[in-house]
Amino acid sequence: MKIIANFGDSFMANIAKGILVEDGIDAAVLGENLVWSVGVTNFGGLSVQLAVPDEAADRARFLLRNSDLAEKCEIK
């Protein structure tokens, strides 16, 4: 699995996951419980991460860059 993007909140990360799943890419949201446990804001550099299988990383990045979410996350 590769981390392909960081989000400030789990809501946007899960929307991005949905976009990828609709395109047939397995995706996982990581760190959403940790961020909620310290607060809703991006506290201390914590972020919610979006991960996909290694072989799907390039396609997933392409989809995110060409979506409305591109400005709401840090694509790696």
Side-chain angles (χ1 to χ4, degrees), residues 7-75:
F7 292 83
D9 64 69
S10 62
F11 182 74
M12 289 296 158
N14 279 292
I15 290 173
K17 176 184 174 180
I19 290 170
L20 300 181
V21 168
E22 281 184 8
D23 199 67
I25 298 172
D26 287 331
V29 175
L30 309 173
E32 63 186 321
N33 292 330
L34 179 60
V35 170
W36 278 108
S37 70
V38 296
V40 207
T41 59
N42 193 350
F43 175 79
L46 294 176
S47 65
V48 179
Q49 300 173 322
L50 185 61
V52 299
D54 293 353
E55 63 275 5
D58 290 337
R59 174 78 181 146
R61 287 185 191 104
F62 173 81
L63 290 171
L64 285 181
R65 283 190 186 106
N66 292 291
S67 75
D68 291 338
L69 296 176
E71 297 176 8
K72 296 176 174 44
C73 66
E74 174 194 351
I75 300 172

